[in-house]
Amino acid sequence: MTIFDLLTLLGGLAMFLFGMSVMGDSLEKVSGGKLESILEKMTDNRIKGVLLGLVVTAIIQSSGAVTVMAVGFVNSGIMALRQVIGIIMGANIGTTVTAWLLSLTGIEGSNIFLQLLKPSSFAPVLAFIGIVLYMFSKNDKKKSVSTILIGFALLMIGMDTMSSSVEGLKNVPEFTGILTKFTNPLLGVIAGFLLTTVMQSSSASVGILQALSSTGSVTVGAAFPIILGQNIGSCTTVLLSSIGANKNAKRAAGAHLMFNVIGVLLAMACFYGANALFDLPFFDKAVNPAAIAIIHSVFNIFATVVLFPFGNQLEKLMCVLIKDKPEDKAQAEASESGLVDERFIITPSYALEKVKEKCDQMATLAKTNISMSLDFLKVYSSSKDEKIQQNEKLLDRYEDELETYLVKISALDLGVTDSMRLSEYSHAIGNFERIGDYGVNILKTKRKMHKEHIHFTEDANRELDIMGRAVKEIIENSTTAFINDDVELAQTIEPLEQVIDNLKAELRAKHSKRMNDGECTIENGILFFDIINAFERIADHCSNLAVCIIELSQGSYQTHSYLKGVKNSGNTGFMKSFEEYLNKYAIR
């Protein structure tokens, strides 16, 4: 092997790893977090868990991502430990799909159909189609499809390049001497474990082994323990992800490790026991990429079939090995408080789905606070006073942690759709928190009136009631539009916001007249103005939410240009809704 062969090997390895990374990331973008959502919702029994874990892993080409996601599910309280055990088993089988794809490099024969299956034949065609799509397509999803094609082509070309570069090693005695040492089961397992730990991908390390097998120097006896070690090495990423998680999440990561370790011990006992008894004829025979794919699949299917009936026992074993402590209950409650697990960031689209769920919760909290604050204007309630303050603290916490979470997601390579979703959720979080703040402002005003026995006139109360009903409708419509992504409902917000602006001006004028006429004191007037100012600001934030929903549905975010257009006198839809709301909330 010359220095040029070594450089070719490194170049092939670079293309292989980059292609695998690009293809996996693009597949996740195309799925848009839907696969992970299905995984979350359809694991009520272990058989479903195995099947879904298998399918999702096969599609996104990463057992590590799926298993880390499963640990996040447990840490957030979305799933129980028993549910993710099936996912872990299925993910181990699903990861073998990559090895089968890579085995295409070992196809031999002069038949034209066999030649077309070789990567050297179809990979350049896929790369060309992919780059043409990438250059001429403006659609985000089509661009992701194009990068899947490019990534897959690079993966296969890199694999073919590596295989070609190491072909000369079959005549190097030192190389074959090293490989014969791996027939020692312990050394083979350690080598496979270390390679996968360094690569952080069992698919990548299996691919490298498949490339080496093209030399004809890798025997079944050498490949078998390495493949077993690679499966144990795949647990490293998951174990690292469980650091700082609650006990159940650590048990999920531990279950993944224990499943692979027990599977490896059983497989080694069966394989080497059979060889000792029957002197297996294929033990010293050379393997090719397809044979490695077979060994990889057979082991993972074997481990799943044997250990599947003992899923409950595996769960109990992890509970024994990782015991609960008194302080763990508080930690578990904190992790299940409704905030998003950082492990989900491994799949940005799904992480954004979870952020949306929390934004929906913020919408409900903000709406509840405003509703209770409006009730306050009629009758003071100490219990509602306390509840509003609790909700406000929760809204503040949601804003702090979700905004931090979105900043971390924004640092990743996001598609146009995900970037727009992130922008929408960031705006929504700020608006919901501010709406909650104005609810507290109304609370403080009413609390002061209650303590100091301050009362408004009958006319003032009637006017506040009318404006309050308008505010209640706008907060109801805007939060519902956001939760359901209802563009049509969002279009009703701006006309009502304009009516509320008019009401504020009208109520200020009327109350100023009452103050001038001596019907109300200056202090009374200031409190009245504080309330209607809060009403108007709530409506403004509802308008911000609606504009965001409408603009992003059209693929842009130009708030000012939208408001300028919608309030144009020629906009008949706006004017019709405006007139209807004007009559509905008229001060008579």
Side-chain angles (χ1 to χ4, degrees):
M1 186 178 187
T2 66
I3 184 65
F4 298 106
D5 290 328
L6 178 60
L7 292 174
T8 303
L9 172 63
L10 292 175
L13 178 61
M15 282 192 290
F16 174 76
L17 294 176
F18 183 69
M20 181 171 284
S21 175
V22 167
M23 186 175 71
D25 291 345
S26 299
L27 283 163
E28 286 176 6
K29 286 180 183 178
V30 169
S31 74
K34 292 182 179 64
L35 291 172
E36 290 80 359
S37 296
I38 293 169
L39 200 65
E40 173 191 337
K41 294 169 184 174
M42 295 183 64
T43 51
D44 50 338
N45 68 58
R46 199 174 301 134
I47 294 175
K48 279 186 183 178
V50 171
L51 293 174
L52 286 167
L54 189 161
V55 171
V56 174
T57 304
I59 292 173
I60 70 172
Q61 293 287 292
S62 176
S63 62
V66 172
T67 312
V68 168
M69 190 73 62
V71 171
F73 289 151
V74 175
N75 191 60
S76 298
I78 294 170
M79 284 186 185
L81 176 59
R82 65 180 179 277
Q83 291 176 282
V84 301
I85 288 175
I87 295 173
I88 290 167
M89 293 177 176
N92 274 28
I93 299 174
T95 195
T96 65
V97 170
T98 308
W100 282 105
L101 292 173
L102 297 176
S103 69
L104 295 173
T105 56
I107 291 175
E108 296 178 357
S110 58
N111 185 290
I112 187 170
F113 294 107
L114 289 177
Q115 288 296 315
L116 286 172
L117 288 173
K118 288 182 70 68
S120 57
S121 301
F122 69 77
V125 177
L126 290 180
F128 180 76
I129 294 170
I131 199 65
V132 169
L133 277 174
Y134 186 84
M135 291 175 67
F136 296 103
S137 176
K138 295 182 179 179
N139 181 280
D140 190 38
K141 188 149 282 190
K142 287 181 181 176
K143 275 190 177 291
S144 293
V145 171
S146 70
T147 52
I148 291 171
L149 294 175
I150 295 169
F152 182 65
L154 284 174
L155 174 74
M156 301 308 292
I157 292 170
M159 182 68 183
D160 199 45
T161 303
M162 284 195 296
S163 299
S164 301
S165 66
V166 298
E167 192 173 350
L169 288 174
K170 63 184 176 184
N171 299 317
V172 180
E174 292 80 6
F175 175 73
T176 55
I178 291 171
L179 288 178
T180 55
K181 291 180 181 179
F182 290 142
T183 54
N184 178 315
L186 184 58
L187 287 177
V189 169
I190 291 172
F193 169 78
L194 292 176
L195 180 61
T196 304
T197 298
V198 171
M199 304 293 294
Q200 290 288 290
S201 169
S202 62
S203 295
S205 62
V206 170
I208 291 171
L209 182 61
Q210 286 177 300
L212 291 174
S213 73
S214 64
T215 64
S217 304
V218 182
T219 64
V220 172
F224 186 77
I226 294 174
I227 292 170
L228 299 188
Q230 287 169 334
N231 278 274
I232 296 176
S234 68
C235 302
T236 306
T237 305
V238 183
L239 290 170
L240 290 173
S241 79
S242 70
I243 295 173
N246 63 31
K247 283 294 170 67
N248 268 337
K250 286 185 170 70
R251 287 171 185 145
H256 184 224
L257 175 64
M258 194 60 63
F259 170 77
N260 281 289
V261 169
I262 294 172
V264 165
L265 292 174
L266 290 174
M268 289 177 71
C270 292
F271 181 73
Y272 291 106
N275 187 51
L277 291 173
F278 307 110
D279 192 21
L280 299 175
F282 53 80
F283 190 86
D284 293 319
K285 285 192 175 181
V287 292
N288 55 29
I292 288 175
I294 291 170
I295 296 170
H296 195 210
S297 296
V298 167
F299 164 70
N300 283 291
I301 293 170
F302 163 81
T304 299
V305 170
V306 172
L307 294 176
F308 183 84
F310 301 99
N312 292 337
Q313 285 73 18
L314 182 59
E315 180 185 0
K316 289 176 182 177
L317 175 62
M318 296 317 303
C319 290
V320 170
L321 294 176
I322 304 176
K323 292 184 171 67
D324 281 318
K325 295 178 182 178
E327 61 269 23
D328 292 330
K329 185 177 180 183
Q331 184 185 359
E333 288 175 354
S335 67
E336 295 172 14
S337 62
L339 302 180
V340 187
D341 196 293
E342 290 203 13
R343 290 159 190 81
F344 297 153
I345 292 179
I346 196 170
T347 308
S349 295
Y350 181 73
L352 287 170
E353 289 287 332
K354 305 311 290 182
V355 171
K356 174 62 165 63
E357 290 179 12
K358 306 313 165 189
C359 287
D360 290 349
Q361 292 176 13
M362 285 190 78
T364 302
L365 281 170
K367 181 176 71 174
T368 301
N369 260 18
I370 298 305
S371 179
M372 287 193 293
S373 297
L374 292 172
D375 291 341
F376 251 52
L377 295 177
K378 299 172 184 176
V379 180
Y380 176 81
S381 166
S382 58
S383 61
K384 285 185 178 180
D385 188 324
E386 186 177 342
K387 183 63 178 175
I388 290 172
Q389 292 182 75
Q390 288 175 354
N391 285 350
E392 176 56 24
K393 287 179 182 177
L394 194 52
L395 282 168
D396 289 341
R397 183 187 173 197
Y398 269 53
E399 183 193 33
D400 290 342
E401 299 197 23
L402 289 179
E403 284 288 9
T404 302
Y405 193 77
L406 287 178
V407 168
K408 292 178 181 178
I409 297 175
S410 68
L412 304 175
D413 180 24
L414 301 178
V416 175
T417 301
D418 283 343
S419 295
M420 290 175 63
R421 289 169 66 201
L422 187 145
S423 176
E424 177 185 7
Y425 301 156
S426 180
H427 280 90
I429 289 165
N431 281 300
F432 289 136
E433 194 279 331
R434 292 301 294 147
I435 288 170
D437 285 346
Y438 286 111
V440 172
N441 289 351
I442 296 170
L443 159 70
K444 289 177 179 177
T445 301
K446 185 60 183 179
R447 187 192 297 150
K448 177 180 175 66
M449 292 176 66
H450 175 73
K451 287 181 178 179
E452 299 179 14
H453 305 289
I454 299 172
H455 301 282
F456 294 136
T457 64
E458 186 177 334
D459 284 343
N461 282 325
R462 181 176 57 81
E463 292 162 4
L464 285 178
D465 181 62
I466 292 170
M467 191 174 181
R469 283 191 284 111
V471 169
K472 195 166 189 174
E473 180 170 353
I474 201 170
I475 187 74
E476 175 69 38
N477 289 354
S478 59
T479 53
T480 302
F482 177 81
I483 292 170
N484 299 329
D485 199 21
D486 188 336
V487 177
E488 188 176 341
L489 183 58
Q491 290 171 337
T492 68
I493 303 301
E494 195 57 37
L496 181 53
E497 190 273 338
Q498 192 66 53
V499 168
I500 290 172
D501 282 351
N502 291 357
L503 282 170
K504 175 190 172 183
E506 186 177 355
L507 264 60
R508 281 186 70 90
K510 286 180 175 292
H511 204 70
S512 295
K513 185 175 184 304
R514 283 191 288 269
M515 291 168 63
N516 290 334
D517 293 343
E519 296 179 34
C520 298
T521 64
I522 293 176
E523 184 180 21
N524 182 298
I526 291 171
L527 294 174
F528 185 88
F529 294 150
D530 285 343
I531 293 172
I532 61 173
N533 283 339
F535 282 170
E536 188 264 340
R537 294 301 296 148
I538 290 167
D540 285 346
H541 287 290
C542 289
S543 171
N544 292 343
L545 285 168
V547 172
C548 189
I549 294 165
I550 295 165
E551 285 293 278
L552 289 173
S553 72
Q554 298 170 357
S556 66
Y557 190 71
Q558 302 292 329
T559 307
H560 297 297
S561 62
Y562 168 79
L563 290 176
K564 184 178 179 181
V566 80
K567 292 180 180 180
N568 188 293
S569 58
N571 190 317
T572 55
F574 176 87
M575 293 308 298
K576 181 181 177 183
S577 295
F578 176 73
E579 291 294 337
E580 288 174 356
Y581 284 126
L582 204 59
N583 291 327
K584 185 175 181 179
Y585 296 111
I587 303 294
R588 296 182 176 88

